[in-house]
Amino acid sequence: MKERLDKFIASQTALSRRDAGKAIRDKRVTVNEIVCRAVDTKVDPENDLVALDGQALTYRRHVYYMLNKPAGVVSATEDSREKTVLDLLPPQYRRSGIFPAGRLDKDTTGLLILTDDGDYAHRMLSPKKHVDKTYIATLDREPDVDIAEAFAKGITLADGTVCQQGQAVCLGNHRAEVTIREGKYHQVKRMFAALGYKVVALERIRIGALSLDKMLKKGELRPLTEAETPLVFDRYVKKS
Ligand code: URA
């Protein structure tokens, strides 16, 4: 489907629509290697070669990034006081419409997906889709082995909320690996609180089949690979 040139550039770069229009009028944009000065030129994103300042724009309908979230940033698109996960995006990865797919608490670290694909986020997050999320919780004391049974049965939170069944495995050094399917507010912390433990650190290491890349330092992110987003790529990428 054809799109207006200024809109297309704004969707593929960090430029606003207005700045994209200015870049076009300033002769910084070529379409199929010819300078194009009309902002309302129609381009075919799949077939036309659009370049800004001599750099070809690789057309991506959507973007998917894996972030190793550090502590101290909030899982939001904007916040008047706090640094957000979007502030961690390097300039080359910025474009409009990116949001965190799900939330981690400000002090929780680890795997968070940033995307501009609402369908993908919904499929990953909806409790009906049964996507497991795995965390390493560091507790204020060594957990008893019977936490495994408590998680397997389903824990009732202090306010009476009954959680779905989950899994917990003791790892030593005050740590436990827990897997849950829901994403209630502060859920892991509240589940452990119901068992008499305080979570002193929490890291998400897996969502479904997607594991946190151990090479990513805290605060770093990278695009998901094709292997990491099979459903998405089946849907969106043209097979040659
Ligand atoms: N459970 C929590 O308590 N906090 C998180 O950030 C994620 C899951």
Side-chain angles (χ1 to χ4, degrees), residues 134-167:
T134 300
Y135 299 84
I136 304 287
T138 307
L139 307 173
D140 56 343
R141 62 195 167 87
E142 201 56 42
D144 296 330
V145 283
D146 60 10
I147 63 164
E149 202 183 317
F151 270 79
K153 273 208 286 204
I155 292 171
T156 303
L157 304 179
D159 65 0
T161 307
V162 180
C163 298
Q164 286 179 15
Q165 295 170 339
Q167 289 158 21

Side-chain angles (χ1 to χ4, degrees), residues 132-139 143 147-148 151 155 166-171 175-181 187-189 191-192 195 199 202-206:
D132 287 337
K133 286 124 194 142
T134 300
Y135 299 84
I136 304 287
T138 307
L139 307 173
I147 63 164
F151 270 79
I155 292 171
Q167 289 158 21
V169 180
C170 297
L171 299 177
R175 293 178 317 143
E177 180 177 309
V178 304
T179 301
I180 58 173
R181 285 197 171 157
Q187 182 161 347
V188 174
K189 292 173 187 164
M191 289 170 101
F192 274 110
L195 301 178
V199 173
L202 188 62
E203 179 184 29
R204 183 156 65 191
I205 57 164
R206 209 157 37 246

Side-chain angles (χ1 to χ4, degrees), residues 103-105 107-108 135 180 184-190 202 204:
R103 277 173 189 272
L104 291 177
D105 297 337
D107 59 353
T108 299
Y135 299 84
I180 58 173
K184 298 185 198 303
Y185 183 63
H186 293 333
Q187 182 161 347
V188 174
K189 292 173 187 164
R190 289 158 73 210
L202 188 62
R204 183 156 65 191

Side-chain angles (χ1 to χ4, degrees), residues 69-74 82-83 106-108:
K69 180 189 170 298
V73 296
V74 295
E82 309 279 3
K83 190 169 168 181
K106 185 175 166 188
D107 59 353
T108 299

